Structures are given as C-alpha cells and as structure tokens.
Amino acid sequence: MTARPLAAVGRPHRLDVLIAGGGLLGGVLLWAMNLHGGPARLGLPPSLTLVALGAMSVAELLRRTAPMAALALAVPALALDISTGTLVATVLMFTDVVYAAVLYGPAAAARRIPLHSVLVTVVTAVALTALWQNPQVVTAVIGVALLTVAPAWTGLIIRNHRDAAESARLRAEQIALLAERDRTQAVAGERARMARELHDMVANHLSAIAIHATAAQSIDDPSATREALGVIRENSVQGLAEMRRLIGLLRDPKATEGAQEPAATPTLDGLDALLGQARAHGGSSGLSFVLDDARRPGGTGDGPRPTAPAELAAYRIIQESLTNALKHAAPGEVRVRLAHERGGALTVTVRSPFADRPGPRVPGAGTGLVGMRERIALLGGAFEAGPVSGPAGRVWLVRAALPAAEEEEQR
C-alpha cells in the first residue's frame, strides 16, 4: 500500500494537532528532566531521542489524514527512540499511531496490521528466548505486545463496531426510502382507485342526463319533454346519492358503517336494474339491451360466486360498457353475456353495434377503457376491447376474464 503524496494530504484534524503537540511537549520535558529509558546504544548521540520524538509527533499529525504514511514514519522513529534512550512519550504516541492506522486506514491494512502485530510479537519472543535466556524475556515480550498487539486489535474492534453502526444507519435510511416509496405508490394507487370509482358511478348518470336533455331540446313534444325531465331528475338524484356515499366513505369509513344509508357495494344481482335503466335511456336512440346470464345452469340455480373484488369489477365493466353504448353505438341490440370458463374464471362480454360516427352523442373524458383495463390488471385478469367483424356486421366487443370464483379456489 503506497502512501499518498504530501500534496494530497489534507489539513490535520484539530484533535490530532493537540495530541501531537501534547506528546512533543511532554517528551521534551521528560528529556530535559533526564527521565528516559537509559543511555544511548550503538554509539548514537542521546540528542537523537529528540529527533525520534519530533518524527513521532509528525506521525501523530498524519494519524487521521494519512494513517499509512504516519505508520511508515512511526516505525523507524520508534526504532531510533529505542536505540537512543527511549522516551515514554514517544512510545505512547507510537501505540496511538498503530491504533489510528487500523481505525482510519484502508480495509486491507486494517486486516493485515493486527495479524502482523501478532507475528512480530511471536518472532520477538522466539528471538529473545534464543539469544537472551533470562526471565525478563517475559516482561520484554509483554512490552512488545502492549506496543503492537493491544493497539492494533483495539483499533480493529472499534472499527468493526463503527462499520456495523454505519451499515445499520444505511439500512435504516434504505428502509425509510422504501417506506416512503411504498407510501407514495399506495397514495397514487388509492387516487387511481378513487378516480375509477368516481368515474364509474357518475358517468352513467351524467351521460343519461345529457342524452335526455338533448332529446328534450330537439323534440317539441310536451309529454316527451316531461318524460325526459323525469329521467333527468331520477339520474340526478341517484348520482347525488352515490356521490354522497363515496364522499362519506372517503371522509370517515367507520362513520358509514352505522349510518342509516350504508354505501352498498354493487353486485351482479343488480344487473337487471342496470339494464332496465339502460333500456329507458337508450330507447330514443334505437338501442335494445339483452342480458344473457350463462352462469345459471339450465336456467335454474346460481353458479359459483365470484370474489367480491371480481364481482365489483364485473359490475363496473358492464356499467361502463352500457354507458359507452349509449354514447357511441349505432341502433341495434346490445348484448351482455356472463359465463364461467372451465377453470372457474368469470367472463364478461358486451357486444354493441359499431357506429362509424365523427363523435359521440355526448362528450366524455375518454378514461372509461383505461379504468376497465386498470381494474382487470389489478385482479390479474385479461381484458380486450375494440371493433370486430361478426355475422351481423361490425360490433364493438368488450371482453374481460376475471379470477376464479371462491368455491373453485377452495377446491
């Protein structure tokens, strides 16, 4: 591992400056008071102890910004200090440099330095035992271990705890981001669901109001006008009631549970009434509506019941298809068919005469097909809509396959 050039090393940390300054001042005082380990060895002058002290102080300045360079400087400084008298301040600063090299150095160095410190201690113990057969070898080996093994492994333990804390913090941030993303997606999904429900509940009534208002304006017949106004009033009241139910449910879902007028979820049992309304609205346009319910085998008894979400989706798809027929279809028969496939899936098919006209009878938002596709996609079903050619000419076909019924799933 090569040390960084001095130009790339940042300013020393304030705490490192205090440690280096305190160690240098303490070492100078000890040297001035002649408090050192002993005389110089190898014929070196005692003044070199101050040189080792100064080099170790410089290493302390680099302990955080360049820990490997600090360790590379501290090792020869310690060797020089031991050879020239050994100041306690220099030795203590060396242990701190080893500790900082493990704590702030690269990950590879943090793994190698503790192992090398153990290796140095073992080699020293073997060498001293072979060369100096004296009980003080134990004391010397303990001293070497305190200089190398203790600070290195202390730094490794603290580094592991620090990395674990950082990993936990990052995981907490990721969990918070995922929770926020899930919340955003949930809000967007709920907004889309509310938009679909609002459109499906109100569009049918408003389309009927627009069609009968147009008929009342174009036909100069008092009885027809009164009939149209009656239909307009009926659809207005029903639309307002459904709007009131939806708004009450959005404001406080629990409050509607004990209300006298609960927000009932429409079911397929109400298809007869739904087609009756369509017949009343489409009679003036030359449209007839037929319900072909193949769920009842032989015309008696009910077939397997679909799940509640599937039944609601089927009802809304039929409701929207009838509304689109009132807006776009040519005069003729609109046929609604319900059936169960072999796997138990509920299929809804609506055929209406295709009209190649420049625009609808009444304006719309163009979101009906989008809402139907979204409903089926949420349930994992299949949906198709578009013009097809049939024996009686071109028709507009809406077909949806919804999940299996509850009874079939339990089997």
Side-chain angles (χ1 to χ4, degrees):
M1 180 64 67
T2 58
R4 292 184 295 174
L6 293 178
V9 177
R11 295 180 58 182
H13 193 273
R14 182 176 60 182
L15 181 60
D16 299 341
V17 174
L18 293 177
I19 294 175
L24 179 61
L25 179 60
V28 170
L29 290 177
L30 291 174
W31 187 83
M33 298 171 62
N34 201 25
L35 298 176
H36 46 76
R41 302 174 182 85
L42 303 176
L44 297 175
S47 59
L48 289 180
T49 304
L50 295 179
V51 175
L53 177 66
M56 195 66 73
S57 299
V58 174
E60 283 284 42
L61 290 175
L62 302 175
R63 65 188 293 274
R64 199 184 305 259
T65 56
M68 302 312 297
L71 183 62
L73 180 61
V75 171
L78 178 66
L80 180 61
D81 177 73
I82 293 175
S83 302
T84 56
T86 311
L87 285 173
V88 175
T90 304
V91 174
L92 291 178
M93 284 193 290
F94 175 79
T95 61
D96 182 66
V97 171
V98 174
Y99 164 82
V102 176
L103 184 61
Y104 301 115
R111 292 190 299 268
R112 290 197 300 264
I113 292 175
L115 298 178
H116 289 171
S117 66
V118 174
L119 180 61
V120 168
T121 303
V122 172
V123 170
T124 303
V126 173
L128 289 179
T129 302
L131 298 176
W132 185 29
Q133 297 180 358
N134 191 297
Q136 294 184 357
V137 170
V138 177
T139 304
V141 172
I142 293 175
V144 174
L146 291 176
L147 288 176
T148 57
V149 177
W153 285 91
T154 301
L156 181 61
I157 292 173
I158 295 178
R159 181 182 182 121
N160 289 337
H161 282 289
R162 184 193 64 183
D163 293 344
E166 180 66 15
S167 299
R169 184 186 65 82
L170 292 177
R171 283 196 299 270
E173 291 181 355
Q174 291 175 353
I175 291 173
L177 290 175
L178 291 175
E180 178 63 21
R181 184 179 302 175
D182 291 342
R183 188 194 67 81
T184 303
Q185 292 178 352
V187 170
E190 185 64 16
R191 288 170 62 93
R193 187 187 70 83
M194 291 164 53
R196 286 193 302 271
E197 290 295 325
L198 183 62
H199 175 272
D200 293 342
M201 286 196 307
V202 178
N204 183 47
H205 297 296
L206 292 183
S207 299
I209 291 172
I211 291 173
H212 285 277
T214 302
Q217 289 178 340
S218 59
I219 300 175
D220 188 11
D221 184 357
S223 61
T225 301
R226 285 194 300 271
E227 181 180 355
L229 291 176
V231 175
I232 289 174
R233 183 186 181 281
E234 179 184 356
N235 281 273
S236 300
V237 172
Q238 292 178 357
L240 288 174
E242 292 186 358
M243 282 286 294
R244 186 165 59 251
R245 293 190 185 102
L246 179 60
I247 293 173
L249 183 63
L250 293 177
R251 284 182 174 176
D252 189 1
K254 296 181 179 180
T256 58
E257 294 178 359
Q260 296 179 356
E261 189 179 5
T265 301
T267 65
L268 295 178
D269 296 336
L271 288 182
D272 292 331
L274 185 63
L275 265 74
Q277 294 178 358
R279 294 186 187 99
H281 303 330
S284 59
S285 302
L287 293 172
S288 61
F289 296 86
V290 177
L291 175 61
D292 180 10
D293 193 350
R295 296 176 302 157
R296 304 184 178 95
T300 61
D302 293 333
R305 192 79 178 184
T307 61
E311 188 168 8
L312 175 61
Y315 182 91
R316 293 303 189 193
I317 288 171
I318 295 173
Q319 184 183 44
E320 180 61 25
S321 299
L322 296 178
T323 301
N324 289 339
L326 291 174
K327 293 180 181 179
H328 305 279
E333 180 185 85
V334 178
R335 178 171 291 272
V336 179
R337 188 174 191 276
L338 296 174
H340 282 295
E341 295 184 349
R342 289 184 178 180
L346 175 66
T347 58
V348 177
T349 306
V350 182
R351 296 175 181 268
S352 56
F354 183 78
D356 189 8
R357 61 173 76 246
R361 295 186 179 91
V362 294
T367 59
L369 292 178
V370 175
M372 287 191 279
R373 286 194 178 92
E374 289 177 350
R375 287 184 182 277
I376 299 302
L378 289 174
L379 295 173
F383 177 81
E384 58 178 336
V388 295
S389 298
R394 298 193 72 190
V395 297
W396 183 268
L397 175 66
V398 175
R399 186 179 185 277
L402 295 104
E406 293 176 351
E407 296 179 2
E408 294 293 330
E409 291 178 350
Q410 292 174 357
R411 295 175 188 175

